[in-house]
Amino acid sequence: MLKRIPVTDVTLGMYIHAIEGPWLAQPFWRPRFRLTSIDQLAELQHSKVKAVVIDLARSNTPPKADMATRVRRAQTRAAIERRAADFRAARHLTNDARNVMRGAFDAANRGEIPNSVEIDSVVQSITQALDRNRSMLLGMMRLKKSDSYTYFHSVAVGTLMINFARELGLPEEEVRMMGLGGLFHDIGKIRIAKTVLNKPGKLSAEEWDEMRRHPEMGHALLLDGDVPPTALDVCLHHHEKVDGSGYPFGLAGDQISLAARMGAICDVYDALTSERPYKDACAPVAAVAAMASWAGHFDPDLLFIFMKSVCVFPVGMLVRLRSGHLAMIRDNGRQTNRARLSVFYDIAEQRLLPPSELFLSDIDVSAAILESPDPLAYGLENWPTIKETLLEGLDPTAP
Ligand SMILES: [Fe+2]
Ligand SMILES: [Fe+2]
């Protein structure tokens, strides 16, 4: 039997037979389906759809709700409301911050001396929003409108920097300066011709030369204002690479400040995970896995801590622990919120161990994880087999 009901009465388990309203307003690609997740329900209730037709025979909601069911439904509704409120707050913050950054970039372009007071309020709002719902805000940062890409990208890198600095346990004042660094890092791009900045294809050698000047041009723009030195540093050095092959100065290793090494990671991660007119967005896990494979580009210690800060771990990735062991990421923690490692190799003794489990949340990452090493450097020629064995939860030392 079919029944038309308002979307506000829809509950989990109902079989949606038809969705009323224009096709474009519909949040789902399937015309008929059973509603099984809170996310689907939240999406439906916050879409423009007003009513749906449900198939009562195929719906598996209990006819009369007992007390426990009613409590559960109320909790589900409350969870949906909370998530929707967090979503609205995150969208609001992102748009506001984007506008502030546009204003700051335009003012600098007119030759006004930049002041960081207004930008400080953006840092504060981001910090509070991260406390409220970190994953929602980080997810929101990946949605960018291409016409304002540079401003959205600035807000995203600022957010990633604040989140990263807090993961490192830095004092609040340094967290603030890192945030400012992220927000201002690409301000030099206002001096780059729009045709070069938004060119969909590959840049010519001359265009590339122009593009590579944006860190120094940004630094020069900020120098007269009250932007703190750490933030100036991120602006000037966010394209340096730890092996010395970056620009503008080809600095290497510790010559690049902590803030600039962090900025390089946040900048590339955001660029990879954003959609552009000329490329699709890369999934976060693919982005961090690709970044870990670019030897010499990023500080590997920091890259691992960054992965922890965004809760993105590529399953099967090899990591070295300060305890002198090798471990593999066994579980990214998406289901359980607790990412897990399998510790399986003693480096000094060069031997496999029966695997033992370690939760990443139990490790002081700044002290425990050294790098993402190359299996061959440890003589693990049969790494693909060991990896498969560990992923299956078996013991690679077993005969
Ligand atoms: Fe840049
Ligand atoms: Fe950038």
Side-chain angles (χ1 to χ4, degrees), residues 6-78:
V7 282
T8 45
D9 289 354
V10 175
T11 59
L12 291 182
M14 284 184 173
Y15 190 90
I16 307 293
H17 177 81
I19 297 176
E20 289 194 356
W23 182 79
L24 275 175
Q26 299 185 9
F28 306 108
W29 59 273
R30 284 172 301 175
R32 288 172 191 177
F33 61 100
R34 178 167 292 110
L35 201 66
T36 51
S37 80
I38 291 182
D39 285 339
Q40 282 178 326
L41 186 53
E43 209 170 336
L44 181 66
Q45 295 195 335
H46 292 92
S47 70
K48 291 192 172 127
V49 175
K50 295 276 177 278
V52 298
V53 177
I54 59 162
D55 186 336
L56 289 173
R58 301 179 73 180
S59 295
N60 52 10
T61 49
K64 256 194 200 153
D66 57 20
M67 186 51 103
T69 311
R70 272 183 287 173
V71 168
R72 225 176 21 249
R73 281 188 196 159
Q75 285 168 340
T76 306
R77 264 198 305 278

Side-chain angles (χ1 to χ4, degrees), residues 126-144:
I126 291 172
T127 310
Q128 284 160 5
L130 283 169
D131 282 340
R132 181 176 166 145
N133 190 335
R134 176 164 78 159
S135 59
M136 176 73 77
L137 189 63
L138 293 175
M140 181 68 71
M141 290 301 153
R142 294 176 51 215
L143 308 171
K144 299 182 178 66

Side-chain angles (χ1 to χ4, degrees), residues 111-317:
E112 290 172 24
I113 295 173
N115 85 73
S116 55
V117 174
E118 204 177 6
I119 313 301
D120 260 339
S121 68
V122 174
V123 171
Q124 261 177 32
S125 311
I126 291 172
T127 310
Q128 284 160 5
L130 283 169
D131 282 340
R132 181 176 166 145
N133 190 335
R134 176 164 78 159
S135 59
M136 176 73 77
L137 189 63
L138 293 175
M140 181 68 71
M141 290 301 153
R142 294 176 51 215
L143 308 171
K144 299 182 178 66
K145 293 187 190 102
S146 57
D147 57 334
S148 316
Y149 176 80
T150 302
Y151 310 117
F152 275 119
H153 170 66
S154 303
V155 175
V157 175
T159 305
L160 290 167
M161 283 292 270
I162 293 168
N163 187 50
F164 194 176
R166 292 174 111 202
E167 186 72 48
L168 278 164
L170 297 177
E172 276 308 302
E173 182 52 21
E174 268 178 72
V175 173
R176 182 186 82 90
M177 292 191 289
M178 302 269 183
L180 286 175
L183 289 164
F184 278 128
H185 81 284
D186 269 342
I187 194 169
K189 286 194 175 171
I190 57 170
R191 292 280 195 255
I192 308 286
K194 291 277 180 297
T195 46
V196 175
L197 202 57
N198 300 322
K199 187 173 173 179
K202 256 191 154 199
L203 299 182
S204 70
E206 298 80 60
E207 289 166 336
W208 188 232
D209 276 346
E210 184 183 349
M211 189 66 128
R212 284 160 65 103
R213 289 171 57 221
H214 79 268
E216 285 171 284
M217 292 197 282
H219 185 256
L221 279 170
L222 295 177
L223 210 50
D224 292 334
D226 62 351
V227 178
T230 306
L232 289 173
D233 213 50
V234 176
C235 177
L236 188 57
H237 298 307
H238 68 276
H239 286 292
E240 300 287 0
K241 297 180 189 171
V242 289
D243 65 0
S245 67
Y247 63 89
F249 304 113
L251 301 181
D254 289 347
Q255 291 177 313
I256 313 165
S257 68
L258 171 70
R261 278 178 282 148
M262 290 166 64
I265 292 171
C266 298
D267 182 37
V268 172
Y269 174 80
D270 185 62
L272 289 177
T273 54
S274 302
E275 192 184 309
R276 301 302 321 270
Y278 49 86
K279 72 159 190 75
D280 287 337
C282 196
V285 72
V288 295
M291 290 166 72
S293 74
W294 301 343
H297 197 134
F298 306 106
D299 178 327
D301 284 19
L302 283 178
L303 182 56
F304 200 88
I305 301 167
F306 175 78
M307 289 183 203
K308 187 156 188 281
S309 79
V310 289
C311 304
V312 176
F313 298 102
V315 170
M317 198 177 85

Side-chain angles (χ1 to χ4, degrees), residues 328 383-394:
M328 185 201 76
W383 169 238
T385 315
I386 298 171
K387 179 166 143 182
E388 218 163 284
T389 310
L390 291 168
L391 285 173
E392 284 174 30
L394 301 173

